[in-house]
Amino acid sequence: MLLKKSFLFLLVFSILLTGCKNSFSDYGKNDSSGSENVSKVSEERQVSSHINPNVPQFISYNGNNITAWVNQFIFTGDGKIKEQSPYGDRTYVKLSYLKDGVIKTVDLTEHALHYNLFNGVEYITASSKGKYIVVQFSSDLPISIIVDTDTNNSKILWYNEAKHESMMSISFNPNNEDEFAFLPSADIKGPDGTHTLKIYNLNNDLIKTIGEIKEEKISMSKALIKWDGDKIFVVTADGKHLFSFTVR
């Protein structure tokens, strides 16, 4: 079974990479009156299409009994995400996952367009047994979307929907499929230098504060959260700050 999953993932990965290469090589094929102009027209088209160069077009995850990947192709202009390029190429963000030998896909494009998430998805994680997949979009206030792989339904993990504040740096409890630790996106820079680590339960929608990080002048953007028994560790992206909390 493991061999079969690995083969399927490698097969899908190869197809997707080939598709990405073809999408670039096809640019300008019908716009040139001579073979010498094909390369120039193709380059000009890519520039005028405003493909966001900071967005990885393929992100993968393999763990917790599930293999998942995101394909994203995002066009921008005037600091905003665009539905399509001047040449009609469309923006898309799609999460696919392999579970029990079946590939399923969830289209996240509308979320990206609605909330102007022009920097796309930055990482993927999953719950301990693969029931839930979470993707986090990079933004001034990052937005996380959770997918239930039993139903293929998705929703935004709001911390404060009215203010468009989401949960970020999601890390699932390895002993509880329905519970994860997170940081509120509103606290990226921290009110008065304080950040709060919280736990969310998907069964009852309860949020519990585990502790505060009282450290001034640090950003928790892209911070990592790690469970270890009754301890939860939070480390900043630069690795210079490590915080430990006991779960009671």
Side-chain angles (χ1 to χ4, degrees):
M1 177 60 73
L2 180 60
L3 215 56
K4 181 180 179 182
K5 284 178 64 179
S6 300
F7 173 75
L8 283 172
F9 177 66
L10 289 173
L11 178 62
V12 171
F13 180 70
S14 300
I15 293 172
L16 291 172
L17 283 182
T18 302
C20 288
K21 291 178 182 177
N22 289 338
S23 67
F24 279 103
S25 61
D26 286 344
Y27 278 155
K29 280 188 176 179
N30 298 322
D31 300 324
S32 174
S33 58
S35 59
E36 295 180 359
N37 295 327
V38 171
S39 178
K40 181 179 179 180
V41 172
S42 177
E43 290 176 3
E44 290 176 350
R45 181 171 178 179
Q46 289 185 42
V47 171
S48 62
S49 294
H50 303 296
I51 300 171
N52 190 336
N54 299 316
V55 176
Q57 292 179 22
F58 182 83
I59 300 176
S60 64
Y61 171 88
N62 190 19
N64 292 338
N65 300 303
I66 204 157
T67 296
W69 59 95
V70 166
N71 289 101
Q72 50 190 355
F73 204 58
I74 295 178
F75 298 98
T76 59
D78 302 321
K80 296 182 179 179
I81 192 170
K82 297 295 184 180
E83 188 171 352
Q84 61 183 35
S85 76
Y87 296 93
D89 304 294
R90 303 186 71 84
T91 283
Y92 63 81
V93 182
K94 295 182 179 181
L95 167 70
S96 299
Y97 57 92
L98 175 65
K99 185 177 181 180
D100 299 328
V102 178
I103 296 176
K104 296 183 180 180
T105 299
V106 182
D107 195 334
L108 306 176
T109 310
E110 286 304 314
H111 292 299
L113 293 171
H114 184 73
Y115 295 104
N116 193 32
L117 303 173
F118 55 82
N119 283 324
V121 173
E122 59 182 345
Y123 80 82
I124 309 169
T125 191
S127 58
S128 58
K129 296 180 181 178
K131 175 177 170 55
Y132 300 106
I133 301 173
V134 171
V135 299
Q136 180 173 304
F137 282 86
S138 177
S139 180
D140 289 339
L141 293 180
I143 287 183
S144 299
I145 295 177
I146 188 168
V147 174
D148 186 328
T149 63
D150 288 342
T151 63
N152 210 36
N153 292 329
S154 65
K155 68 176 182 179
I156 296 178
L157 289 170
W158 289 118
Y159 177 66
N160 187 326
E161 185 172 0
K163 295 182 179 180
H164 288 177
E165 296 168 358
S166 180
M167 305 174 187
M168 70 176 193
S169 302
I170 305 297
S171 179
F172 281 91
N173 183 344
N175 299 315
N176 187 342
E177 184 93 326
D178 300 302
E179 185 177 75
F180 60 78
F182 73 95
L183 296 167
S185 65
D187 288 350
I188 287 180
K189 295 181 179 178
D192 302 320
T194 299
H195 310 267
T196 52
L197 175 67
K198 299 177 181 290
I199 287 180
Y200 178 68
N201 190 294
L202 289 161
N203 283 328
N204 51 30
D205 294 324
L206 289 180
I207 295 177
K208 179 171 63 174
T209 298
I210 298 301
E212 292 185 342
I213 300 172
K214 296 181 179 179
E215 189 84 18
E216 294 184 6
K217 298 181 180 179
I218 67 168
S219 171
M220 298 305 290
S221 178
K222 300 183 181 179
L224 299 176
I225 300 175
K226 174 72 175 179
W227 293 71
D228 186 7
D230 64 346
K231 297 282 188 182
I232 300 180
F233 297 93
V234 180
V235 59
T236 54
D238 59 11
K240 293 181 179 179
H241 297 85
L242 175 67
F243 307 94
S244 175
F245 301 91
T246 300
V247 182
R248 296 180 176 86

